[in-house]
Amino acid sequence: MKLSELHNGESAVIVKVSGHGGFRKRIMEMGFVRGRKVTSVIDAPLNDPIKYTIMGYDVLLRRSEAKLIEVLPEEEANAMLTAEDAQAPNFLACTDCDSCGLSCGAKRNKTTQRNIINIAFVGNPNSGKTSLFNALSGGHEHVGNYSGVTVDVKTGHFNYKGYHFNITDLPGTYSLSAYSPEELFVRRNLLESMPDVIVNVVVASNLERNLYLTTELIDLSQRVVVALNMYDELEATGAKLDYQNLGSMIGIPMVPTVAKTGKGLDKLLDTIIDMFEGDNKSARHVHINYGTILEPEISKLADILHKTEDFPQQFPARYWAIKMMEGDKEVATLLKSSKSYEKLEKQATISSEEVKKQLDIDAETAISDAKYGFISGALHETYTEGNVDANKKTRRLDKLIVNKWLGFPLFILVMWLMFSVTFWLGAYPQEWIAMGFDALGSYLNGIMPDGAWRSMIVDGIIGGVGAVAEFLPNIILLYMFISLMEDSGYMSRAAFLMDKMMHGMGLHGKSFIPMVMGFGCNVPAIMATRSIESKSSRLITILVVPFMSCSARLPVYLLLAGAFFPNYAATIMICLYLLGIIVAVLTAKLLRLTAFKQDETPFVMELPPYRWPTLRATLKHIWEKCYQYIKKIGTVILLASVIIWVLSYYPHTEISETELAQTETISETEATEIQYENSYLGMIGKFIAPVMSPMGFDWKISVAVLSSIPAKEIVVSTLGVLYGSEDDDLGEALQKSGDLNIASALALMVFMLLFFPCIATIGAVASETKKVKWAAFSVFYNTAVAWIVAYITYLIASLF
């Protein structure tokens, strides 16, 4: 029977995994191997994907992928699986590489300065790797409870007991294969940087699945220390682990740690130092014995490499041989320059066929099975399961949160609550900040003499910067909600809920996470697309993320919605965010039907357990975003405000206060408007105004839109310079000006939602796609879509 045929609550044992190589590889890494028990937990509201539990982890699979996995009821499976399938631990330990029969050929990397230790953190997603990195380095990297938070290399440094540690946090990965960008990235980094010690961070309460990556590191033959992170969760289940014996068996020292409390960190650092100095007694060179069929074939390939010695020496010949057996294309490319490559490639084909003939499974599957057999045997000797179900609370919550009928309403309620609180609660401190800037402007206006300097400081800097700074409380509240959703594990459930819908529109289920991250900032959201294995799906997601309304656009919405839709501000904001999602999905569908042919990839995504977000992590996340916003205000926004003021002040026609008082036909406000209209800024605005006028935008609004190219917040600072008033706040000044009405204000918000993103986001698109043409496409396509949709919005709104 197929795994997809299991009803919720039913369990079975896996007997076979079919499908293409990439799918089988990822599935096996996630624990779907022969002989493992799997339970169907719950269907998504639209009946796809399905949540399964295997090895204590919750994993999502679409029905189409679940159909590729054959299962049997436990009794039938136990009768079918022979004694040969139950593999015991088998170790081939080396103390002398020169005399080793398998001769791995690894060459250690030596640090020139003995007091400097370069370490790399490697681990599965959600293993707490970044939390451990932060705890040790004092870094401020964001820690989220879903796959793909660490999307690039992060570095830190600190001193401990006379040693200087350089620490690198690598992206979360399940293995070191060439399946996903993270896996390739991590392997390349280890190959090129050759850290002195690799710290393999594993979830202590879920060793069987996490240790698969450890077996890959064993094959690398590097100095490794395993950090048994979240060890308190293992102890809470009542489980017992003889980690010292386990470490001795596999030749890698293990240290229990709890990153959030700092427990075990000193011991971890002491162990790293011992490994660096070669003083750790439990560390030894261990080969995984892949059995009587695989081992001779691996040795044949390794011997070919040894004869030429022109393979990448950072990793042993045995490792390259194993990867050639697995058909790793990236490794084949790396070894093409070897003199023995043709012979190696020919032998790899022969060996793979021999394995297939002898075992009736491909070499890649056989190697994965052997790794899990190695893990199972080692844990059989050292691990005793507890009697407390650690995931009981998670399953109870999932019955409510991903419920067929309640899942979507709860999600919409969460989003509505987020925007409502952001608007209404943020309005109070927003008003206080605005009053403070107004008071400062009035004070300086009273003590400074009339002239350019006073105008630049009061109208340019205070008017422009103050207009943006007053929205800081709203930004803080928005990021607080996003942080809580990420850290609690709810973000992954949102992807679970949305996969069926996203899949139907040409997007991947994992695309939803970068899209939601885009509500905060588009740049890290685009970087987070690296967790999507399919190249075309990843590229489509990169191109649609800019339609997600980032926090930089929030001040524009708050200003216009508060001024023109005071009773429906939260509803207007929700509609804008939904519009961004709709346009993104339609764009994805268009791209899938035109530029990219269908590229189906398995929706395999880990559902982490729910965790209470720590106050420290949440406050740190909020502070980081707050700091970034303040920094932007003090740099980009300040510079832009001054530039806008210069363009609006020159060429300048002097009209003194005395002349204004003596003139009955012109007021101070009218004089200011005349000055702006005849300035360089007015000239620019009038040049582009014909393009923007169909949406009801005059030259001032057109200039504000144009100013948003460096950063979207500059729209507000530009309006602050152009419409600043001592008597009214900016919203009231906009209303009284008559330059915007309800229809044009709504069109302006839609245009700013869909208009091409800031320069930083365009740079991220170019960087992640490796092609400038996609960045150019984003600029022109998004601008065209923004104009069309904003124009339609204006026409419809004008009717009412």
Side-chain angles (χ1 to χ4, degrees):
M1 68 185 287
K2 306 298 184 183
L3 179 60
S4 59
E5 297 173 20
L6 281 185
H7 297 293
N8 291 165
E10 292 183 349
S11 299
V13 174
I14 298 170
V15 293
K16 185 179 179 181
V17 178
S18 304
H20 60 81
F23 170 73
R24 288 201 312 274
K25 179 68 177 173
R26 173 44 54 91
I27 281 294
M28 289 185 292
E29 291 168 0
M30 297 291 286
F32 287 80
V33 293
R34 193 168 185 245
R36 302 298 171 187
K37 180 181 176 181
V38 60
T39 303
S40 175
V41 181
I42 191 171
D43 296 353
L46 298 178
N47 293 322
D48 212 8
I50 307 167
K51 185 173 99 170
Y52 295 97
T53 295
I54 187 167
M55 293 187 182
Y57 263 70
D58 291 331
V59 180
L60 303 180
L61 284 181
R62 291 196 187 114
R63 289 186 180 275
S64 56
E65 278 86 52
K67 287 179 181 178
L68 299 176
I69 302 172
E70 292 185 16
V71 296
L72 284 176
E74 292 185 62
E75 293 183 2
E76 293 182 37
N78 291 335
M80 175 184 166
L81 297 175
T82 65
E84 293 178 354
D85 295 318
Q87 300 183 46
N90 206 335
F91 309 96
L92 298 176
C94 297
T95 56
D96 184 354
C97 282
D98 294 329
S99 63
C100 176
L102 295 169
S103 101
C104 70
K107 292 186 178 179
R108 297 292 187 188
N109 180 47
K110 294 183 179 179
T111 307
T112 55
Q113 300 182 54
R114 289 185 60 79
N115 66 329
I116 298 178
I117 306 178
N118 299 309
I119 61 178
F121 274 28
V122 177
N124 286 187
N126 305 310
S127 63
K129 180 172 50 64
T130 305
S131 297
L132 200 59
F133 171 85
N134 286 339
L136 288 173
S137 68
H140 299 287
E141 300 303 335
H142 178 215
V143 182
N145 191 17
Y146 63 94
S147 175
V149 175
T150 308
V151 292
D152 209 340
V153 170
K154 298 177 176 66
T155 58
H157 57 85
F158 59 94
N159 297 317
Y160 178 79
K161 290 189 176 180
Y163 290 85
H164 182 76
F165 285 78
N166 293 318
I167 181 171
T168 302
D169 182 23
L170 296 174
T173 179
Y174 293 105
S175 74
L176 299 179
S177 301
Y179 182 65
S180 71
E182 289 97 343
E183 292 171 349
L184 273 176
F185 189 87
V186 171
R187 185 167 69 186
R188 286 174 181 173
N189 186 277
L190 295 177
L191 181 67
E192 295 168 5
S193 66
M194 283 297 291
D196 298 310
V197 179
I198 298 172
V199 177
N200 178 206
V201 184
V202 306
V203 179
S205 60
N206 214 290
L207 290 170
E208 191 169 15
R209 218 286 305 284
N210 278 247
L211 287 177
Y212 186 90
L213 179 58
T214 309
T215 63
E216 297 259 292
L217 296 174
I218 290 174
D219 288 337
L220 291 184
S221 188
Q222 305 296 303
R223 286 178 286 196
V224 180
V225 175
V226 169
L228 298 167
N229 201 29
M230 307 181 200
Y231 201 77
D232 54 336
E233 293 185 4
L234 179 144
E235 293 176 323
T237 66
K240 302 293 182 182
L241 175 67
D242 186 353
Y243 59 86
Q244 292 180 333
N245 187 25
L246 177 60
S248 297
M249 291 173 70
I250 69 173
I252 297 176
M254 296 186 164
V255 182
T257 61
V258 182
K260 64 182 179 182
T261 63
K263 183 179 179 181
L265 298 190
D266 288 346
K267 178 63 176 176
L268 177 63
L269 294 177
D270 291 338
T271 306
I272 292 171
I273 293 172
D274 288 345
M275 287 292 292
F276 177 72
E277 298 291 357
D279 295 334
N280 193 283
K281 295 179 180 179
S282 63
R284 61 181 181 141
H285 189 179
V286 169
H287 286 324
I288 298 171
N289 190 336
Y290 289 103
T292 56
I293 305 299
L294 282 168
E295 280 295 345
E297 304 303 328
I298 292 172
S299 295
K300 289 175 185 177
L301 292 169
D303 289 342
I304 293 172
L305 288 169
H306 279 308
K307 288 178 181 178
T308 57
E309 290 290 330
D310 58 354
F311 60 88
Q313 295 291 305
Q314 299 95 321
F315 298 160
R318 178 178 170 83
Y319 174 78
W320 300 120
I322 293 169
K323 290 302 172 184
M324 286 296 292
M325 286 283 293
E326 290 180 337
D328 192 310
K329 294 181 180 179
E330 177 77 6
V331 167
T333 302
L334 285 172
L335 297 178
K336 269 189 177 178
S337 59
S338 172
K339 296 176 183 177
S340 60
Y341 178 71
E342 289 186 11
K343 187 176 180 181
L344 184 72
E345 185 181 34
K346 183 178 179 180
Q347 182 60 52
T349 302
I350 295 171
S351 295
S352 297
E353 289 175 352
E354 181 64 21
V355 170
K356 176 73 173 177
K357 179 181 177 181
Q358 294 285 337
L359 299 177
D360 198 30
I361 55 174
D362 59 76
E364 187 178 42
T365 302
I367 290 170
S368 292
D369 285 348
K371 287 181 183 293
Y372 272 114
F374 176 88
I375 296 166
S376 180
L379 292 177
H380 180 73
E381 300 291 331
T382 58
Y383 178 73
T384 304
E385 289 190 9
N387 52 12
V388 178
D389 185 358
N391 293 321
K392 187 176 181 180
K393 292 181 180 178
T394 292
R395 282 193 285 272
R396 284 181 176 177
L397 282 172
D398 274 345
K399 286 182 179 179
L400 174 67
I401 291 175
V402 297
N403 182 274
K404 191 171 187 176
W405 306 108
L406 298 178
F408 279 117
L410 280 174
F411 175 72
I412 294 171
L413 177 62
V414 168
M415 300 302 289
W416 179 84
L417 184 65
M418 179 173 74
F419 296 125
S420 295
V421 172
T422 297
F423 184 83
W424 295 111
L425 187 59
Y428 297 101
Q430 176 188 346
E431 185 178 348
W432 303 333
I433 294 173
M435 290 170 60
F437 275 97
D438 289 342
L440 178 61
S442 298
Y443 173 74
L444 294 177
N445 207 32
I447 64 172
M448 293 183 70
D450 187 21
W453 280 106
R454 187 181 79 174
S455 178
M456 184 185 72
I457 293 173
V458 175
D459 300 328
I461 296 176
I462 295 178
V465 171
V468 177
E470 67 181 77
F471 295 103
L472 178 60
N474 308 95
I475 300 296
I476 291 174
L477 289 169
L478 178 66
Y479 272 110
M480 179 190 73
F481 273 96
I482 293 177
S483 176
L484 291 174
M485 286 193 294
E486 291 173 350
D487 296 347
S488 65
Y490 182 73
M491 197 75 86
S492 294
R493 271 71 188 179
F496 171 66
L497 289 169
M498 298 297 294
D499 175 67
K500 181 77 171 182
M501 187 180 298
M502 305 291 279
H503 185 58
M505 296 295 181
L507 282 170
H508 195 278
K510 286 186 178 179
S511 300
F512 189 71
I513 289 177
M515 289 172 72
V516 175
M517 287 179 68
F519 291 158
C521 180
N522 289 165
V523 175
I526 288 172
M527 295 173 69
T529 59
R530 294 176 189 173
S531 64
I532 303 171
E533 293 84 0
S534 165
K535 184 178 179 180
S536 67
S537 294
R538 184 166 63 252
L539 186 52
I540 291 173
T541 306
I542 288 172
L543 295 176
V544 302
V545 160
F547 288 119
M548 298 300 97
S549 187
C550 66
S551 61
R553 298 176 172 105
L554 186 61
V556 182
Y557 305 154
L558 291 170
L559 171 66
L560 297 175
F564 294 92
F565 309 94
N567 297 325
Y568 306 99
T571 303
I572 291 293
M573 288 171 61
I574 292 173
C575 291
L576 286 169
Y577 280 78
L578 288 175
L579 176 61
I581 294 173
I582 291 170
V583 172
V585 169
L586 292 176
T587 298
K589 188 67 173 178
L590 178 65
L591 290 171
R592 183 61 80 186
L593 293 173
T594 55
F596 304 99
K597 59 184 179 180
Q598 200 73 11
D599 185 6
E600 290 298 328
T601 55
F603 180 61
V604 184
M605 179 179 169
E606 180 185 325
L607 273 184
Y610 291 103
R611 290 190 172 96
W612 281 105
T614 63
L615 180 62
R616 179 183 177 185
T618 303
L619 291 177
K620 181 184 286 187
H621 185 203
I622 292 172
W623 164 245
E624 288 166 6
K625 300 305 178 183
C626 179
Y627 173 76
Q628 291 174 12
Y629 191 74
I630 294 173
K631 185 178 179 180
K632 185 185 284 188
I633 289 174
T635 53
V636 177
I637 306 299
L638 175 61
L639 178 62
S641 296
V642 172
I643 291 173
I644 294 296
W645 174 84
V646 170
L647 293 174
S648 67
Y649 193 79
Y650 296 100
H652 187 66
T653 303
E654 289 290 343
I655 302 177
S656 67
E657 293 181 2
T658 305
E659 290 174 320
L660 281 172
Q662 295 174 349
T663 304
E664 297 180 0
T665 58
I666 185 172
S667 66
E668 184 176 357
T669 302
E670 290 172 332
T672 302
E673 290 178 357
I674 293 171
Q675 166 60 41
Y676 286 157
E677 189 168 355
N678 294 321
S679 67
Y680 295 124
L681 191 67
M683 297 175 193
I684 295 171
K686 289 177 181 178
F687 178 76
I688 63 172
V691 179
M692 311 300 285
S693 60
M695 294 170 285
F697 303 163
D698 68 354
W699 69 267
K700 292 183 185 179
I701 306 301
S702 301
V703 165
V705 170
L706 189 66
S707 71
S708 71
I709 293 174
K712 293 294 171 273
E713 301 97 333
I714 298 177
V715 171
V716 177
S717 64
T718 302
L719 295 174
V721 173
L722 294 174
Y723 291 95
S725 172
E726 294 183 21
D727 300 322
D728 303 314
D729 64 28
L730 183 54
E732 292 174 345
L734 276 171
Q735 281 183 304
K736 290 181 178 180
S737 71
D739 293 341
L740 284 175
N741 55 30
I742 288 179
S744 56
L746 196 58
L748 178 57
M749 285 189 282
V750 170
F751 191 89
M752 291 311 305
L753 165 72
L754 305 175
F755 187 38
F756 86 85
C758 65
I759 294 298
T761 302
I762 294 299
V765 171
S767 175
E768 292 300 312
T769 61
K770 311 297 183 189
K771 292 184 179 179
V772 175
K773 72 174 185 178
W774 292 119
F777 171 82
S778 184
V779 170
F780 291 107
Y781 176 79
N782 289 35
T783 302
V785 169
W787 195 96
I788 293 170
V789 179
Y791 178 58
I792 294 172
T793 302
Y794 178 75
L795 291 179
I796 294 174
S798 297
L799 296 176
F800 298 98

